[in-house]
Amino acid sequence: MIKGFGGIFWRTKNMDALKKWYGEVLKIEMGDWNGTMIKPDPENETIFSFFKEDDPYFPTEQQVMLNFQVHDLNEMMEHLERVGVSLAKEKEVSEFGQFIWIKDPEGRLIELWEK
């Protein structure tokens, strides 16, 4: 029944700064309505998963973690370095792909994944 991921919504204390950061760092351009439409292609898949409240995979005080699938993780890491965003955790490689993590201006951990 589910066709795809519908959206991710959260409150922010500084709309302009957050929109600017997501635009510069992740190249996600937000519209005047403070949102954007991301249209997946056949090479993109969205995972929706539950974690126990004490699971250490991401900070326990963080209720939601975003995961963005990227085309080329090395290219993304070069871009992050150019714009002055450091990794929050070291790169990991597993049978699921390669992963890195960064934090947005409000301290939310974000996972970037190359399948």
Side-chain angles (χ1 to χ4, degrees):
M1 290 187 179
I2 301 299
K3 193 173 192 178
F5 196 74
I8 299 169
F9 311 100
W10 70 71
R11 298 180 192 282
T12 179
K13 295 175 185 166
N14 191 332
M15 183 71 70
D16 292 335
L18 209 57
K19 285 171 64 173
K20 181 179 184 225
W21 188 88
Y22 276 85
E24 288 176 358
V25 174
L26 297 177
K27 303 295 184 193
I28 297 173
E29 297 302 323
M30 300 295 219
D32 292 338
W33 53 281
N34 298 323
T36 190
M37 178 80 64
I38 299 172
K39 297 181 181 181
D41 61 44
E43 297 298 315
N44 185 2
E45 58 186 46
T46 300
I47 306 297
F48 180 62
S49 179
F50 294 109
F51 286 77
K52 290 183 179 179
E53 63 185 358
D54 61 348
D55 191 305
Y57 190 68
F58 61 97
T60 55
E61 67 275 5
Q62 182 175 326
Q63 293 298 308
V64 175
M65 181 175 67
L66 302 177
N67 170 296
F68 293 101
Q69 187 176 358
V70 301
H71 293 284
D72 185 324
L73 198 59
N74 290 327
E75 182 180 325
M76 185 68 186
M77 290 172 70
E78 290 171 6
H79 167 71
L80 293 171
E81 186 175 335
R82 280 193 305 274
V83 298
V85 174
S86 58
L87 298 184
K89 294 167 59 174
E90 292 298 315
K91 180 179 174 180
E92 290 183 15
V93 179
S94 76
E95 68 271 18
F96 303 110
Q98 302 178 72
F99 301 86
I100 59 172
W101 294 265
I102 58 174
K103 287 187 178 181
D104 77 8
E106 295 184 356
R108 280 181 285 264
L109 195 66
I110 298 169
E111 184 174 61
L112 302 170
W113 165 46
E114 180 183 338
K115 187 175 174 185

